[in-house]
Amino acid sequence: MSNDKFISIEGIAKRYPNPAGGSTAVFEDLWLSMKRGEFSCVIGHSGCGKTTVLNILAGLDEPSEGAVIVDGQAIEGPSLDRAVIFQSHALLPWRTVMGNVAFAVSSKWRNWKAEQVREQAQKFIDLVGLTGSEHKRPSELSGGMKQRVGIARALSITPKMMLMDEPFSALDALTRGTLQDEVRRICLETGQTTFMITHDVDEAIYLADKIILMTNGPGAVLAEILENPLPKNRARIDIHRHPHYYGLRNHIIDFLVSRSKTFAQTVTGRDPRHVPVVRPALPEPAIINEPAA
Amino acid sequence: MANSLSIRAAVVSIALLLLFLGGWHIATRGTGPAANMSPEYARLMGATATQGKSAMPGPLDVGAKLWEHIKSPFYDKGPNDKGIGIQLGFSIARVLFGYVIAVAVAIPLGFLIGMSPLMSKALDPYIQILKPISPLAWMPLALYTIKDSNTSAIFVIFICALWPMLINTAFGVAAVRREWVNVARTLEVGTVRRAFTVILPAAAPTILTGMRISIGIAWLVIVAAEMLVGGTGIGYFVWNEWNNLSITNVIIAILVIGLVGMILDQILARFTRMVTFPE
Ligand SMILES: Nc1ncnc2c1ncn2[C@@H]1O[C@H](COP(=O)(O)OP(=O)(O)OP(=O)(O)O)[C@@H](O)[C@H]1O
Ligand SMILES: [Mg+2]
């Protein structure tokens, strides 16, 4: 299929029945596409339905309506092609670091010999910098180390796509920075298509090619897709020196503070199939593709 | 700190034991020869009447008898006179037999109930009704249908050991963290492999706790069951010695029953610790 629409979310909705009868829609008629090798970040307030979208992409949850097409095929349940990094790292506590990664490797390559599985697992444990901790159990690891095991486990099956649900939100600033660097390096090296949820504006600016702004639920919609104007070779320590940095940052924060609440009521003539792509820059953000009328 | 605590606890334990043995000894010792009794009558009545001795054996009597049992635990002098080791062996064999069958039924069935909300709802009323029935209430029915008393005792053990394991397995399986199951799902792990690699290890501590409760109940029930069916076993031994009016042997049996129960419990406790994982 075309690289332009490696992943295509086509009109999905998620509704939960109300205890009193009827149903509440977390979101309705959601359309979004992602290119191969692209890093997309979703930002939105708590409870707007970010995890729900990610779970649908992962195949762990089913939309009430609509479909998701990955590489030309509709998603029917979870797949080894789409690795998930869970918010709570979700390591199996009775297995060691090696055991957790090897579990994923042996799930993908069922007839590999133990030696082969161990080798592949070791490669990714080394990649996330956990060499020497292979035989520790999750309870003996720090939060950052656990998250690294989760990353190693997701990468070890060489997925076509990575789905990350606030992977760094439980970490201290220093560890978070290091892991962001690592994830960015790995994603650039392996050309991963990545979908990530975050609450951290700077994290989104540093990592993402596209930042998707989601309004508050219930009935959340995608308000804008921001194209990251910062150069691809940006470094975490000096992104704030980039002339476009503050324009982008203020735009996102403005959205989170005020527009995310009022967007659904104030904006009319919105076409859910064509979310406006915006490239915020100096001095005012400019819309580079008008929503089709 | 912890060390000195266990030493102090041990001292208190031993002091309590000595206090108990001392009190027991004083309460049951003789009060000296009773006055003018014809020797023939005295021989007939035994020490209870002649020495003012209590009918209850003292700790020294029990100790002496216990030593006899320890010296030859496995003698066999006919159906009503077997060593306490042989009787214990019969009881343990029955308990293990019934228990193993109960494990073989309870764990797969518990998995089914825990994994399938339909089966859980469908089987719930049966479990609720069958669980509170005293295992001994099954005895007449078992004797009537199975006819063999030994098998009936095993059946009763099976029935009483079943429920705690079944309920704990179902609960443990149903309560496995969603995220661990989701990990397996995203890795496209099939149902069977998922059951063994994710659900079983995650539910193992709960299952083992159920198994520990079950072995305790089975050991409680075997004594009563053997009193009913008779023939062999530690329960029968207690009943037989009661009919012989050998309170000494009854006390020894009580002691031994407690010891074996503790050992069985400790074995299961060790297994439970082996499968428990820190989070
Ligand atoms: N099983 C459910 N039944 C009813 N409502 C649900 C259920 N699961 C989720 N929701 C609702 O769906 C909405 C979206 O939930 P979701 O977990 O996707 O939010 P989120 O954007 O990931 O939030 P956060 O940033 O806090 O993680 C919430 O308002 C929640 O109340
Ligand atoms: Mg969430």
Side-chain angles (χ1 to χ4, degrees):
Chain A
M1 285 310 286
S2 81
N3 273 354
D4 248 21
K5 280 200 171 183
F6 176 57
I7 289 148
S8 176
I9 297 178
E10 308 198 337
I12 59 169
K14 184 77 192 178
R15 301 188 196 96
Y16 286 109
N18 277 335
S23 63
T24 312
V26 181
F27 47 75
E28 297 248 20
D29 205 16
L30 200 83
W31 295 74
L32 180 71
S33 60
M34 279 170 255
K35 286 187 201 145
R36 199 186 286 274
E38 200 168 55
F39 199 126
S40 313
C41 256
V42 179
I43 287 195
H45 281 287
S46 188
C48 70
K50 305 179 296 294
T51 300
T52 311
V53 174
L54 185 130
N55 282 346
I56 291 172
L57 276 173
L60 292 171
D61 204 350
E62 278 176 15
S64 314
E65 223 175 85
V68 178
I69 316 286
V70 175
D71 217 2
Q73 275 213 313
I75 288 182
E76 285 165 11
S79 156
L80 282 159
D81 288 340
R82 281 166 276 126
V84 183
I85 297 179
F86 296 89
Q87 176 164 14
S88 50
H89 51 73
L91 300 181
L92 306 179
W94 56 89
R95 284 173 178 260
T96 59
V97 169
M98 175 54 86
N100 267 283
V101 181
F103 180 58
V105 174
S106 59
S107 299
K108 168 132 188 183
W109 294 283
R110 307 256 151 115
N111 45 13
W112 274 17
K113 294 199 181 60
E115 186 51 34
Q116 243 174 326
V117 169
R118 219 186 50 77
E119 232 169 70
Q120 169 84 353
Q122 185 68 53
K123 196 169 117 193
F124 286 88
I125 292 171
D126 295 345
L127 187 74
V128 296
L130 281 179
T131 319
S133 302
E134 293 87 351
H135 301 295
K136 290 198 174 134
R137 284 176 200 278
S139 59
E140 302 165 294
L141 301 178
S142 72
M145 289 161 93
K146 284 183 203 162
Q147 208 51 269
R148 278 168 210 246
V149 182
I151 295 169
R153 178 174 63 187
L155 288 170
S156 68
I157 55 171
T158 56
K160 288 185 191 164
M161 170 163 207
M162 295 251 280
L163 302 166
M164 307 197 259
D165 192 349
E166 301 184 36
F168 312 125
S169 59
L171 305 178
D172 65 282
L174 209 63
T175 317
R176 190 185 312 160
T178 326
L179 281 188
Q180 283 167 355
D181 289 344
E182 266 164 48
V183 162
R184 184 166 157 77
R185 177 178 56 82
I186 292 165
C187 286
L188 287 178
E189 271 172 21
T190 56
Q192 282 294 332
T193 311
T194 311
F195 181 85
M196 175 164 133
I197 295 172
T198 181
H199 276 132
D200 181 340
V201 175
D202 284 325
E203 179 171 280
I205 296 176
Y206 175 49
L207 293 175
D209 302 317
K210 295 236 170 94
I211 300 165
I212 299 155
L213 303 181
M214 201 162 168
T215 65
N216 292 3
V221 300
L222 302 186
E224 283 171 4
I225 296 170
L226 303 183
E227 265 191 5
N228 195 338
L230 269 55
K232 198 91 182 162
N233 63 0
R234 56 190 176 265
R236 192 163 49 86
I237 42 165
D238 58 14
I239 45 170
H240 60 281
R241 298 221 177 82
H242 194 274
H244 288 326
Y245 172 78
Y246 281 105
L248 180 62
R249 194 168 192 278
N250 291 342
H251 187 86
I252 299 172
I253 288 174
D254 274 347
F255 174 82
L256 288 178
V257 171
S258 54
R259 288 172 57 222
S260 62
K261 297 186 201 81
T262 56
F263 185 88
Q265 294 100 55
T266 52
V267 175
T268 51
R270 194 181 60 84
D271 177 4
R273 290 184 185 231
H274 296 95
V275 181
V277 178
V278 179
R279 198 181 164 95
L282 295 170
E284 276 297 301
I287 289 177
I288 56 173
N289 97 330
E290 281 291 342
Chain B
M1 226 2 235
N3 207 358
S4 90
L5 180 70
S6 31
I7 290 172
R8 278 184 295 160
V11 169
V12 174
S13 287
I14 290 168
L16 282 173
L17 179 68
L18 291 177
L19 204 68
F20 169 72
L21 289 177
W24 182 11
H25 180 71
I26 290 167
T28 54
R29 94 195 133 157
T31 46
N36 356 333
M37 198 181 278
S38 84
E40 210 161 319
Y41 181 68
R43 206 168 326 123
L44 205 63
M45 293 305 286
T48 313
T50 52
Q51 305 290 313
K53 179 145 176 29
S54 159
M56 192 73 185
L60 295 176
D61 306 318
V62 172
K65 194 81 188 170
L66 185 62
W67 180 239
E68 262 175 54
H69 281 299
I70 290 173
K71 272 195 301 190
S72 69
F74 297 114
Y75 72 88
D76 187 353
K77 295 184 203 152
N80 281 337
D81 194 7
K82 292 191 201 323
I84 201 164
I86 293 187
Q87 303 289 30
L88 266 181
F90 275 112
S91 297
I92 293 174
R94 285 191 187 115
V95 163
L96 291 187
F97 232 115
Y99 183 76
V100 166
I101 301 171
V103 170
V105 172
I107 290 180
L109 196 60
F111 252 78
L112 182 69
I113 294 172
M115 288 178 97
S116 149
L118 172 76
M119 291 313 281
S120 165
K121 263 203 149 59
L123 292 178
D124 190 57
Y126 296 103
I127 295 174
Q128 296 301 334
I129 289 177
L130 292 174
K131 185 180 61 162
I133 298 172
S134 162
L136 294 173
W138 292 98
M139 191 57 108
L141 199 60
L143 284 169
Y144 178 72
T145 44
I146 306 174
K147 302 215 161 55
D148 177 55
S149 66
N150 190 35
T151 319
S152 299
I154 292 173
F155 171 77
V156 166
I157 294 302
F158 162 78
I159 277 287
C160 76
L162 187 67
W163 309 114
M165 287 194 273
L166 184 66
I167 291 165
N168 265 44
T169 306
F171 174 77
V173 167
V176 171
R177 285 235 220 123
R178 188 95 207 118
E179 55 182 45
W180 296 336
V181 177
N182 278 348
V183 167
R185 287 178 65 206
T186 57
L187 294 172
E188 293 186 51
V189 174
T191 319
V192 176
R193 188 163 179 256
R194 195 196 308 170
F196 281 101
T197 55
V198 177
I199 294 172
L200 187 60
T206 323
I207 296 175
L208 261 291
T209 306
M211 290 175 70
R212 191 174 166 192
I213 297 170
S214 279
I215 197 87
I217 294 179
W219 189 244
L220 286 179
V221 167
I222 192 65
V223 175
E226 285 171 345
M227 283 182 177
L228 281 176
V229 298
T232 47
I234 194 73
Y236 171 71
F237 178 85
V238 172
W239 200 246
N240 198 31
E241 295 304 325
W242 161 238
N243 286 334
N244 295 342
L245 274 180
S246 170
I247 303 296
T248 317
N249 271 335
V250 171
I251 293 174
I252 288 171
I254 289 174
L255 198 70
V256 169
I257 291 170
L259 268 173
V260 173
M262 185 188 79
I263 292 169
L264 290 176
D265 185 64
Q266 286 306 307
I267 292 172
L268 266 295
R270 170 154 300 187
F271 284 142
T272 309
R273 269 197 301 278
M274 271 164 54
V275 299
T276 302
F277 47 83
E279 282 197 41

